[in-house]
Amino acid sequence: MKRLLSNITATSVNALSSVMMILLVFCSCNQQKSKNSRTDTYASGEMVLMCDESFSPIIEEELKVFHMTYPKAKVIPQYTNELDAFNALMEQKVHLIIATRNFSEKQKEYLKSQQLNPRYFPIGYDGLAFICNNQNTDSCITVNDIKRILLGQVKNWNEVNKGSKLGEIDVVFDNKQSAAVRYAVDSILGGTPINSKNITAAKTSVEVINYVEKTPNAIGVIGSNWLNDKRDTTNVTFKKNITVMSVSQMEVATEMNSWKPYQLYLLDGRYAFARTVYALLVDPFHGLPGGFANYLQSPIGQKIILKSALLPYRGDLTFRKVNVSDE
């Protein structure tokens, strides 16, 4: 009996020791997990979103409603240029960015080699807008003239519009690494870099608007969502302190064949420089970044995009012609 009791006691001690070891390992792993892993969900927690600065107006509108709808979630926007946003996403410093291009094949291959799954969500369309000073009466311009200006082949206003006395054309972009510059190089110039001495870059879209407002010979290049006049609920009025140029795909630009980046003209292709806006997601945790990306595609998120003067990616939009009579 004593030997049996001794064996039982020894067995119990060994079992207890094993259990204690398992508990210690489990607690240690659990503490490590708490320290190093995320706790956010689709609708709660905290995350950083990186976004090309040109889309800050629309993202601010989206965040207002998102935070009211999901009070336990906190999305912190960082407005930067498109290049830095992509670099941060590829390095997994952030898990969601907003940009005007999709992943390249090289980027997809790299992410997959790291056992990461890149996903993209088209959320809308905007226009690359060209703005000029209100004193400039030559506000119609052709696609070809824009190409010539960006290539440095045309440097003076009288080469675009005969008789113009505005002198040298002064072009300013929002940022030298922005989505606007990348689109101009890739989609307008076919990959040819911008080298003209009369083309410079500010730091933000606001700086571009302020510069053009004060500079009669300037052309500013920014995203069209910066131009919406908040006082106009119909989204057909641009900011009053500058003029939005009308762009023609014909050889000669006239008021009848030139178009501004309104939603309708982005939809039917009359405006030449429409861009797809993407939410780009790389999140192995499947948490809040995915929740906010899906929200941007939801009916509410798409309605906010529509009201912000951009064209939503999803939605059954109907446009009707209206005949106005003076009688």
Side-chain angles (χ1 to χ4, degrees), residues 3 7 15 43-44 53 66 77 87 89 91 117 124 128 138 144 166 182 205 212 242 254 298 317-318:
R3 183 178 296 174
N7 288 339
S44 68
E53 181 271 338
F66 181 79
N87 288 339
L89 183 65
E91 296 169 8
N117 180 31
L128 187 69
D138 303 318
N144 187 52
L166 290 174
R182 198 268 313 158
S205 300
V212 171
I242 47 87
T254 68
S298 72
L317 303 178
T318 302

Side-chain angles (χ1 to χ4, degrees), residues 267-296:
L267 177 65
D268 65 14
R270 276 182 278 184
Y271 191 74
F273 304 125
R275 308 182 294 179
T276 305
V277 184
Y278 294 94
L280 300 171
L281 178 70
V282 183
D283 184 15
F285 189 78
H286 304 294
L288 187 56
F292 187 63
N294 278 293
Y295 171 81
L296 294 173

Side-chain angles (χ1 to χ4, degrees), residues 11-199:
T11 302
S12 298
V13 169
N14 289 336
L16 183 60
S17 297
S18 298
V19 170
M20 289 298 292
M21 287 296 294
I22 292 170
L23 286 173
L24 285 171
V25 171
F26 177 80
C27 290
S28 175
C29 291
N30 211 29
Q31 286 174 357
Q32 181 131 9
K33 185 178 179 184
S34 289
K35 185 178 179 181
N36 296 328
S37 71
R38 290 159 42 193
T39 58
D40 56 291
T41 70
Y42 254 46
S44 68
E46 186 174 309
M47 62 163 278
V48 174
L49 163 74
M50 289 190 76
C51 174
D52 188 272
E53 181 271 338
S54 62
F55 297 108
S56 59
I58 181 62
I59 293 302
E60 288 297 322
E61 294 297 322
E62 294 281 8
L63 289 176
K64 284 179 186 177
V65 182
F66 181 79
H67 286 146
M68 287 190 292
T69 307
Y70 303 102
K72 293 183 179 180
K74 184 178 181 181
V75 179
I76 303 169
Q78 286 187 3
Y79 299 117
T80 181
N81 60 72
E82 191 174 76
L83 180 61
D84 286 346
F86 262 102
N87 288 339
L89 183 65
M90 297 300 292
E91 296 169 8
Q92 285 290 272
K93 294 179 180 177
V94 297
H95 303 286
L96 179 66
I97 68 170
I98 307 298
T100 59
R101 71 168 177 87
N102 202 342
F103 294 103
S104 67
E105 290 302 317
K106 186 176 181 180
Q107 287 171 330
K108 289 179 184 177
E109 290 174 6
Y110 171 77
L111 290 168
K112 289 177 180 178
S113 73
Q114 302 299 307
Q115 285 73 53
L116 296 169
N117 180 31
R119 290 189 288 161
Y120 66 94
F121 300 78
I123 61 174
Y125 305 94
D126 89 323
L128 187 69
F130 295 83
I131 61 176
C132 64
N133 186 274
N134 284 340
Q135 295 180 36
N136 188 347
T137 58
D138 303 318
S139 60
C140 292
I141 192 167
T142 68
V143 170
N144 187 52
D145 281 336
I146 288 174
K147 289 180 180 179
R148 294 165 63 211
I149 291 169
L150 295 179
L151 289 170
Q153 297 172 354
V154 168
K155 296 182 179 180
N156 292 286
W157 277 104
N158 59 14
E159 297 176 75
V160 176
N161 297 297
K162 292 181 180 180
S164 175
K165 298 180 181 180
L166 290 174
E168 190 175 58
I169 301 172
D170 184 2
V171 182
V172 58
F173 280 84
D174 51 355
N175 187 291
K176 63 181 180 180
Q177 295 178 328
S178 70
V181 172
R182 198 268 313 158
Y183 180 90
V185 171
D186 292 351
S187 300
I188 300 179
L189 303 182
T192 303
I194 298 172
N195 292 319
S196 179
K197 293 181 180 179
N198 66 326
I199 300 176

